Amino acid sequence: DAGVTQSPTHLIKTRGQHVTLRCSPISGHKSVSWYQQVLGQGPQFIFQYYEKEERGRGNFPDRFSARQFPNYSSELNVNALLLGDSALYLCASSQGQVSTDTQYFGPGTRLTVL
Amino acid sequence: AQSVTQLDSQVPVFEEAPVELRCNYSSSVSVYLFWYVQYPNQGLQLLLKYLSGSTLVKGINGFEAEFNKSQTSFHLRKPSVHISDTAEYFCAGSSGSARQLTFGSGTQLTVLP
């Protein structure tokens, strides 16, 4: 079975630009979460979506937004990019939305902001 | 609010030696704990998880962890490491109604020949 997939693998943008990252969950999983992993740190929670609705939001500015589509895939959008947005963005999927559900991670999208 | 602390940022160990990676948590509610491994330029792979029941949890690749409520710890152990175990290891937790994972800062395990 296919795992969580993310696209693109790598991305280079300049300050002020906008970026869209994409994620396809494991088949049958209805929840998608997004995490930001800055070099040398653990992942930080950004959003969780379940059944196309936002169910959780981390401590990130409004420049970050996301949505989930009817097929449960998801997009993460970041506006007005800053140098500090350079990171590995990880998508995780789970069957449900409760805290006991195991989250399965994709390979990530490496974003570099110049 | 929950927090997860990994006490060692780097752990070097010789091949075939035992290893313990330390993790402590703080939470005022029921806690669920996970260990993930991250190989270079890859995402996170689940090693094992504790939800309830037996405090000794066995995972993949010969790893195990013990949940200790009195010491608020969830240390990861392997009796004999291989070169291929070289990677970054993350302890993470979720609790109560908080659906997201809270991660520690990671421990880089380097297995030396």
Side-chain angles (χ1 to χ4, degrees):
Chain A
D1 289 340
V4 178
T5 59
Q6 293 185 243
S7 63
T9 304
H10 296 86
L11 206 51
I12 299 175
K13 294 285 189 178
T14 57
R15 282 178 295 176
Q17 285 189 310
H18 162 270
V19 69
T20 297
L21 311 180
R22 295 177 176 83
C23 170
S24 291
I26 293 171
S27 178
H29 286 191
K30 298 181 177 181
S31 178
V32 169
S33 297
W34 287 94
Y35 292 81
Q36 180 196 65
Q37 186 180 17
V38 173
L39 195 62
Q41 298 181 20
Q44 297 288 319
F45 172 73
I46 310 175
F47 286 111
Q48 186 196 41
Y49 276 77
Y50 178 74
E51 289 284 15
K52 302 179 289 295
E53 291 187 6
E54 183 184 303
R55 298 304 179 102
R57 173 185 284 256
N59 188 25
F60 280 80
D62 292 343
R63 299 185 297 107
F64 288 76
S65 63
R67 56 179 176 169
Q68 187 177 32
F69 299 98
N71 66 353
Y72 302 111
S73 66
S74 177
E75 285 183 353
L76 176 69
N77 296 283
V78 187
N79 292 322
L81 285 167
L82 303 174
L83 295 178
D85 295 331
S86 294
L88 181 68
Y89 288 84
L90 296 165
C91 172
S93 77
S94 59
Q95 287 186 316
Q97 60 165 338
V98 296
S99 52
T100 54
D101 285 331
T102 298
Q103 296 191 28
Y104 297 90
F105 286 81
T109 294
R110 174 75 62 188
L111 172 65
T112 302
V113 181
L114 302 175
Chain B
Q2 181 183 69
S3 67
V4 176
T5 303
Q6 292 183 246
L7 300 170
D8 306 299
S9 59
Q10 296 191 42
V11 173
V13 63
F14 287 105
E15 193 174 16
E16 298 183 5
V19 70
E20 178 180 84
L21 305 183
R22 297 182 293 170
C23 172
N24 286 87
Y25 69 91
S26 66
S27 175
S28 59
V29 297
S30 297
V31 63
Y32 311 106
L33 297 164
F34 306 79
W35 275 99
Y36 285 87
V37 60
Q38 186 175 36
Y39 298 101
N41 302 312
Q42 294 188 28
L44 302 173
Q45 179 183 4
L46 180 69
L47 280 176
L48 49 80
K49 61 184 177 183
Y50 171 78
L51 303 180
S52 65
S54 174
T55 57
L56 183 62
V57 181
K58 294 188 181 298
I60 63 171
N61 300 341
F63 285 95
E64 63 180 32
E66 186 163 13
F67 173 70
N68 189 319
K69 189 173 182 179
S70 62
Q71 297 186 9
T72 60
S73 68
F74 189 56
H75 300 333
L76 181 71
R77 303 185 182 99
K78 187 170 183 178
S80 176
V81 295
H82 303 290
I83 296 289
S84 59
D85 292 324
T86 294
E88 186 91 21
Y89 291 79
F90 291 96
C91 182
S94 63
S95 64
S97 61
R99 304 177 181 94
Q100 70 268 24
L101 289 171
T102 298
F103 283 86
S105 54
T107 297
Q108 173 64 45
L109 173 65
T110 301
V111 181
L112 306 167

